[in-house]
Amino acid sequence: MLDLVNDKVQDESRQGEAYAPFQLDPNQYQKRFYIESYGCQMNFADSEIVASILNQEGFGATRNLEEADLILINTCSIREKAELTVRKRLTEFRKLKRNKKGVLVGVLGCMAERLKAQLLEEEKLVDMVVGPDAYRALPGLIMEAETGQKAVNVLLSRDETYADISPVRLDSNGVSAYVSIMRGCNNMCSFCVVPFTRGRERSRDMNSIVSECRDLFEKGFREVTLLGQNVDSYYYTDEGNNAVNFAQLLNTVAGISPLLRVRFSTSHPKDITDEVLYVMAAHHNICKYIHLPVQSGSNRVLQLMNRTYTREWYKARVESIWKILPDCGISADIIAGFCTETEEDHQQTLEIMEFSKYDYSYMFFYSERPGTLAQRRFKDDVPEEVKKRRLAEIVQVQNRLSFESNLKDIGTTCEVLIEGDSRKTDKDWKGRNSRNKVVVFPKLDHDLKKGDYVTVKISECTQGTLLGHIVK
Ligand code: 5AD
Ligand code: SF4
């Protein structure tokens, strides 16, 4: 559990590590690119757009760094630690670049946006710096870099959504895929660098989202996760002036097939509507799981964070979820030790965790980010050892809540979508239930495959996994 601290990784199969693409048809391409992604799911989805653009340019993906003509690193700036990890990786690429002439190294994503041309100065062997809205410019930037010039494009856009680009699925299990529905963020949470690195919020054309999801289903995928920094504020107006909100989008995607599971992330407590909850209730295939970051349980801290809700409001949203969706799992993001946080504020965070009975949380200690409202306005005054102690207490409460939630499932049955072999043995399948809990069970003689749905009876659990056996 502790490896989750300070490293937001939402998919356990990708936990703690960057991923690299599978090999495409080796004869199809003249050149090879290698890409590593860090940070949020959005970055992983963006790397699939980059892969699509590069395929068009004659670059095939490789997992083998040594074979690459182009090395890309899609970066995250959310906490200092994320940036330090990328810097360390860049020094490793540096050695490769020295040994192989002509290899280009490019920094993509949030760090590119935050540091801009400065990154070329600091990391001498970086050839390209490309912000999250500039991926269409990659072919031109590569040409520029090939001539020995440093290539930079960090322009943010008000309307880029890459709607027409069909992502190339990288390192996919062939069952679950991310589908980006919007970009950027208009909230100004005072701790957060995202509005500065990913720009203004914009929603993607609903038709392109629905056709991407349908296409995935036809290719055999059985689960889509609709991604945005704040999905509840999705709002798209088409040429005929017809407006679509998130509830309507969700309803349409769920209508593609009852066999296509639909998930989404992230919801904002100030924006999630009962309309969304009712759409979830109406469709069996919309997973009963909501990621609802709380950040803090103290009204005073929430106000400093500019979260624009109170603890009472948050609790009322949780109660609505339970009323409309009695079996819905809830998870959260929590920050320990934000500016001025007192022991009493911290206790209120522990209290709201107990109230909300989170299945799971992503827990961090506050890391001041340059340029954010908090950095400009407040002093980062909670000592590091206090932040770490509070974080450890938060982690401890969450570990108990996760275990208690899993214990409750013993003896029940649930529908599981098979995602592949369990991590430990190829004699067991691993999948998730609607509530996003990982379920592991023996394959036995059943004739099943990835992408199949099975009913599993839960007989045991650990803090992170349910264990059971197939009943149907
Ligand atoms: N320090 C610590 N955690 C942060 N997050 C965002 N910015 C910071 C920061 N400066 C966390 C929030 C957010 C998640 C994606 O990362 O909890 O929801
Ligand atoms: Fe950052 Fe807040 Fe936007 Fe999330 S909602 S990306 S925490 S500014």
Side-chain angles (χ1 to χ4, degrees):
M1 198 73 181
L2 266 175
D3 56 349
L4 289 174
V5 174
N6 276 333
D7 243 335
K8 177 166 179 157
V9 182
Q10 295 212 331
D11 182 336
E12 72 126 34
S13 62
R14 289 173 176 170
Q15 201 161 303
E17 60 186 43
Y19 80 106
F22 65 83
Q23 184 89 45
L24 295 174
D25 176 0
N27 304 318
Q28 207 178 332
Y29 300 105
Q30 307 279 307
K31 292 184 176 177
R32 301 262 165 252
F33 75 94
Y34 172 95
I35 190 165
E36 268 181 20
S37 308
Y38 292 83
C40 64
Q41 293 160 323
M42 206 70 163
N43 260 6
F44 285 78
D46 278 3
S47 291
E48 298 186 336
I49 287 168
V50 168
S52 174
I53 293 169
L54 292 177
N55 279 179
Q56 298 276 320
E57 286 303 299
F59 282 88
T62 176
R63 260 178 185 287
N64 180 358
L65 203 46
E66 258 105 63
E67 195 181 73
D69 306 288
L70 174 62
I71 300 174
L72 298 173
I73 181 156
N74 197 350
T75 61
C76 171
S77 286
I78 202 125
R79 282 166 292 275
E80 194 184 7
K81 190 178 163 232
E83 290 200 352
L84 292 175
T85 309
V86 166
R87 295 226 187 231
K88 189 160 161 263
R89 199 67 184 125
L90 283 172
T91 56
E92 287 159 15
F93 295 159
R94 217 176 275 172
K95 286 179 213 135
L96 270 165
K97 203 168 151 58
R98 288 207 180 101
N99 294 341
K100 188 173 166 187
K101 267 218 156 336
V103 177
L104 297 177
V105 174
V107 179
L108 315 180
C110 288
M111 240 174 117
E113 193 61 50
R114 196 178 83 70
L115 296 166
K116 306 189 167 73
Q118 187 192 331
L119 200 57
L120 298 172
E121 295 286 307
E122 289 169 11
E123 303 286 343
K124 292 265 181 285
L125 294 176
V126 167
D127 305 287
M128 290 188 299
V129 174
V130 191
D133 285 346
Y135 298 143
R136 282 182 207 270
L138 263 168
L141 293 168
I142 293 170
M143 268 164 43
E144 213 175 311
E146 277 170 346
T147 66
Q149 296 173 62
K150 300 285 180 191
V152 184
N153 188 335
V154 287
L155 288 177
L156 286 174
S157 156
R158 279 186 172 258
D159 47 27
E160 178 63 273
T161 59
Y162 301 110
D164 55 315
I165 295 181
S166 186
V168 169
R169 305 292 159 187
L170 296 170
D171 225 32
S172 164
N173 63 3
V175 178
S176 323
Y178 295 135
V179 176
S180 168
I181 64 164
M182 58 208 292
R183 300 182 71 81
C185 184
N186 282 358
N187 296 315
M188 274 286 175
C189 299
S190 63
F191 51 79
C192 187
V193 78
V194 167
F196 305 97
T197 58
R198 300 191 75 100
R200 304 288 294 172
E201 179 187 291
R202 62 226 99 119
S203 295
R204 176 178 168 191
D205 178 346
M206 156 150 144
N207 294 321
S208 76
I209 298 171
V210 176
S211 31
E212 186 176 325
C213 294
R214 190 172 291 122
D215 184 51
L216 283 163
F217 180 71
E218 280 159 10
K219 290 193 170 118
F221 285 79
R222 290 294 172 261
E223 182 178 274
V224 290
T225 303
L226 308 180
L227 290 183
Q229 305 294 346
N230 179 7
V231 290
D232 304 288
S233 66
Y234 177 87
Y235 195 79
Y236 182 75
T237 318
D238 69 15
E239 303 82 49
N241 250 351
N242 303 305
V244 185
N245 67 13
F246 181 59
Q248 292 160 325
L249 172 72
L250 198 55
N251 192 49
T252 311
V253 174
I256 292 173
S257 165
L259 289 177
L260 181 68
R261 271 189 174 179
V262 187
R263 297 185 183 276
F264 55 87
S265 188
T266 296
S267 303
H268 196 300
K270 78 173 160 62
D271 293 320
I272 188 169
T273 59
D274 283 355
E275 191 190 359
V276 167
L277 304 180
Y278 284 117
V279 169
M280 289 176 76
H283 293 270
H284 175 74
N285 56 326
I286 303 182
C287 291
K288 304 300 180 279
Y289 167 70
I290 297 175
H291 182 57
L292 197 67
V294 66
Q295 313 297 2
S296 168
S298 150
N299 281 342
R300 198 183 62 80
V301 174
L302 285 171
Q303 194 170 12
L304 292 179
M305 286 177 163
N306 200 25
R307 289 290 288 178
T308 71
Y309 54 82
T310 59
R311 57 190 269 111
E312 292 76 22
W313 171 275
Y314 186 92
K315 287 181 171 181
R317 295 318 295 142
V318 167
E319 280 174 333
S320 294
I321 294 171
W322 288 335
K323 194 170 107 230
I324 299 168
L325 303 162
D327 290 326
C328 190
I330 305 176
S331 62
D333 291 346
I334 302 171
I335 299 178
F338 186 65
C339 312
T340 79
E341 188 189 71
T342 62
E343 222 35 56
E344 198 187 334
D345 295 321
H346 169 60
Q347 289 304 322
Q348 294 195 324
T349 297
L350 298 179
E351 191 275 335
I352 212 162
M353 292 176 71
E354 300 280 358
F355 176 88
S356 309
K357 299 190 183 68
Y358 298 125
D359 279 354
Y360 195 73
S361 286
Y362 300 90
M363 300 158 281
F364 318 101
F365 59 77
Y366 175 58
S367 156
E368 186 178 79
R369 305 310 293 133
T372 55
L373 293 181
Q375 185 259 329
R376 283 182 276 149
R377 285 191 197 152
F378 315 127
K379 198 160 164 246
D380 181 12
D381 58 356
V382 178
E384 186 157 321
E385 65 276 14
V386 176
K387 285 183 184 172
K388 289 194 169 155
R389 194 253 304 147
R390 288 183 189 160
L391 179 61
E393 287 174 14
I394 288 170
V395 170
Q396 205 177 9
V397 168
Q398 186 53 56
N399 286 350
R400 176 172 49 74
L401 291 175
S402 299
F403 192 49
E404 283 170 6
S405 168
N406 281 355
L407 280 174
K408 272 202 218 137
D409 292 333
I410 292 179
T412 63
T413 55
C414 56
E415 186 180 70
V416 177
L417 173 62
I418 300 179
E419 290 174 14
D421 291 347
S422 93
R423 230 188 265 178
K424 289 194 186 136
T425 161
D426 63 5
K427 294 193 170 57
D428 289 348
W429 287 121
K430 183 198 95 170
R432 274 172 304 152
N433 66 12
S434 171
R435 212 173 149 137
N436 208 32
K437 290 189 182 181
V438 174
V439 185
V440 171
F441 49 95
K443 292 182 179 175
L444 300 178
D445 293 334
H446 300 280
D447 186 20
L448 292 164
K449 56 183 185 321
K450 273 198 306 186
D452 285 345
Y453 288 97
V454 274
T455 305
V456 176
K457 180 158 186 179
I458 307 304
S459 50
E460 283 175 72
C461 73
T462 65
Q463 185 190 297
T465 313
L466 299 176
L467 307 165
H469 54 271
I470 299 169
V471 289
K472 213 164 68 189

